[in-house]
Amino acid sequence: MLQATNLRAEYGSLVAVNDVDLQIETGQFATIVGPSGCGKTTLLRMLAGHQEPTSGTVELNGEDITYTEPQNRPTSLVFQSWALFPHMTVRENIEFPMRNNGIEIGDRVEELLEQVRLDPDVHADKQATELSGGQKQRVALARSLAYNPDILLLDEPLASLDYVLRKRLQRELADLNDELDMTFIYVTHSLESALLMSDKLFVLDDGDIIQTGSPEDIYRQPNTKFIAEFMGDANVFELDGVEQKGGSYEVQSSLFAQTTTVPYHHDHGEPKYLVVRYDDTAVETELTEDLGLEVDVENVLVRGNTVLIECGSPAADGEYVAEMPVDEFRATNIEKGDTVFLQWDSAKSILVPE
Amino acid sequence: MSTIETLRAEIDALEGDENPVRRLLSPPGILIAPMALLLLCMFIGPMLAIVVFSFQTGNAIALNPLEWSIATYQEVIGGMASGEGVYGDVLVNTVAVSITTTALTLIVSYPAAYALAHKITRYKLVFLMILIIPLFTSVNIRVFGWALFLVQNGVLESIVSLFGVQEYASLMYRRSTIILGTTYIYLPFMLFPIYLSMLSIEDTTLEAAKDLGASRLTLFRKILLPLSKPGIIIGSLFVFVLSLGANVEAEILGGGSIFTMASNIQYSFGYSQNWPLGSTQAVGLLLITVVAGVVILRTIDLREIAARGD
């Protein structure tokens, strides 16, 4: 188990990581997700030993490794730029950590290359600089796995790859985590990576961990408006009146005419916003659901088998989006410029505090 | 074939690569032409003149196409072989100065280049400016400054006498003083190529090595040294070749008692007006330079550097 306690990093007067606590079980795939500049890379570098924390501790299986040098800690960092040694072949790159740690080489290079799905016969003796981005990423991964670290730290290594390749490598990383008894800690600003691969999510904003949980829990019940928006594709309505009714809240807003009651179990204070995901909403010429508002259709974007309908609300000066299956949208005969109802089943609403 | 078609065919033929003038004036040719012209006039021409003059007789100062001789070669090479005359000593001095200067500048520059590229962030510009600004002043001025500092009754003697040292032996007119001079003068030529190759090493590459369990020695031997090798090679070549031709340092700091090939060549051309002798030594110096250059450059694979560029 990896445990960080009150971990803090300051650059002069700037607090990059603000007394963060995190706990990751052995073998878990944990993801630290947050926007650029939220301190996630600094946090990862402290876990890897490349940066000393201003204060706080890092413990691995009960042993304090806060100030252990990177070469002496059982963690391995896969860099965003992969950091392959340009003057070495693929084989030499992978042998490097094995030689440093006195591990017998034997057929291990071939095994590792197969594990990251590269053909050893084709790639082992290529110069590192001759590889494509995806191949470099795989070699960097194999090199980090080569000396069996307890924890593999990944600093957005997929960020610069194209969409298809990134998707595939995400799947492979998740599979690899299942195969190996190794903890993976992945840092990203990309929600799709975070949701797809992780067992546990840490949402980091401005140096603070603002929510921890399974990807599904966080998606279903974000703690804050920031997380709700960051988790993506959500319409946010500010509430004007809230009233507690048992385990639910009766809420109203000047943005939609109806008053509605939504379950809310939260210890972060009263709800301030109502959130509804794009794909839980639809546009119709008549109000047919129990919650909705009148909007003007400003744009219609086809996204594969669904349509994004971008709407403006003249009353609220806001921008809202509905996402519907193509067929359903076509059946409504709604076109750009029409005035329609953007609506949803009130049960799909999520209430969030500040 | 109509007239127009015939004309077009002729124009096409003219525009083809077969037209040598057109090919020469095509863009790459035009771009490189001024440089080629300059090298031809300023470098290859004088070099040829030197080679031609080295085969002239006696104290010729005008080219005499009827009289050719290898007398000066016999004198210089014979002198070196037999140990008579100054040529042997001059050769030893020259090579000793160059090799020692190269080694000293390398030892001093390497850690500094690493620190400047990867460790120092504050005052980095100041350090670099201190290294660059001396290059704005003439070598002569800087070397005379040295002389004023080191000479008897000079600055250094005043300083050491403050500490009660009575017997001050002048540090001037020794080979080691010349080396001190060349080391100082040519330091930037070693530092900057190494600094640039250090800059091209990513911080993450060094971090990755540590992360993968490399000790400090391994980090140096397996990562830093091979990746900074091009800088070491280029810097060594610069400093070695420049030191071979160092005559100001030898003349002022050596004060006429220590000669290097460059100062001896100047002496032959100037004081003794023996152009063929000066030319012969110049050819010798050129040969040493070319051999040293080839040997040094052969230790790196230029294609490897080119491949690393991406």
Side-chain angles (χ1 to χ4, degrees), chain B residues 5 11 17-18 21 44 115 135 138 141 146 149 211 229 235 238 244 250 265 288 297 308:
Chain B
E5 280 175 333
I11 291 168
D17 276 351
E18 299 90 307
V21 177
I44 298 175
L135 295 176
S138 139
I141 295 170
W146 266 82
F149 187 73
D211 202 76
K229 200 165 114 186
F238 276 166
L244 279 179
I265 289 166
I288 295 174
L297 281 177
R308 212 181 290 159

Side-chain angles (χ1 to χ4, degrees), chain A residues 36-189:
Chain A
S36 299
C38 71
K40 55 192 190 298
T41 295
T42 303
L43 179 56
L44 196 72
R45 287 173 59 81
M46 290 193 288
L47 298 180
H50 289 297
Q51 187 169 339
E52 281 191 5
T54 310
S55 61
T57 56
V58 182
E59 281 173 43
L60 180 63
N61 302 325
E63 191 192 338
D64 189 335
I65 58 163
T66 316
Y67 298 103
T68 309
E69 300 222 34
Q71 54 266 44
N72 299 324
R73 45 172 98 185
T75 57
S76 186
L77 178 56
V78 181
F79 290 82
Q80 186 167 11
S81 58
W82 313 310
L84 294 183
F85 304 127
H87 58 301
M88 295 185 188
T89 62
V90 168
R91 180 186 302 280
E92 287 164 346
N93 264 283
I94 295 172
E95 283 176 358
F96 185 80
M98 299 205 269
R99 290 184 198 282
N100 292 335
N101 292 280
I103 293 170
E104 200 190 314
I105 291 164
D107 297 330
R108 188 95 172 95
V109 173
E110 282 74 13
E111 279 171 32
L112 283 160
L113 284 174
E114 275 163 16
Q115 204 160 32
V116 297
R117 294 162 179 81
L118 279 179
D119 185 349
D121 296 334
V122 180
H123 296 104
D125 296 308
K126 274 190 184 166
Q127 205 67 29
T129 45
E130 292 177 70
L131 303 175
S132 70
Q135 291 166 344
K136 281 182 184 166
Q137 208 286 318
R138 288 165 195 268
V139 173
L141 189 60
R143 186 180 67 174
S144 279
L145 296 173
Y147 68 108
N148 291 317
D150 292 346
I151 298 178
L152 189 70
L153 304 161
L154 302 115
D155 184 8
E156 299 205 51
L158 308 181
S160 59
L161 302 177
D162 68 69
Y163 178 79
V164 177
L165 189 56
R166 191 164 68 235
K167 276 271 183 241
R168 192 159 80 216
L169 284 166
Q170 281 167 359
R171 287 288 299 276
E172 289 178 12
L173 272 181
D175 291 348
L176 205 58
N177 177 245
D178 291 339
E179 277 170 42
L180 303 166
D181 186 28
M182 198 183 285
T183 311
F184 283 32
I185 303 177
Y186 192 94
V187 149
T188 182
H189 66 271

Side-chain angles (χ1 to χ4, degrees), chain A residues 26 49 60 73 115 129 179 185 220 227 236 269 292 300 308-309 314:
Chain A
T26 304
L60 180 63
R73 45 172 98 185
Q115 204 160 32
T129 45
E179 277 170 42
I185 303 177
R220 287 293 149 219
I227 299 174
V236 178
V300 176
L308 290 178
I309 306 111

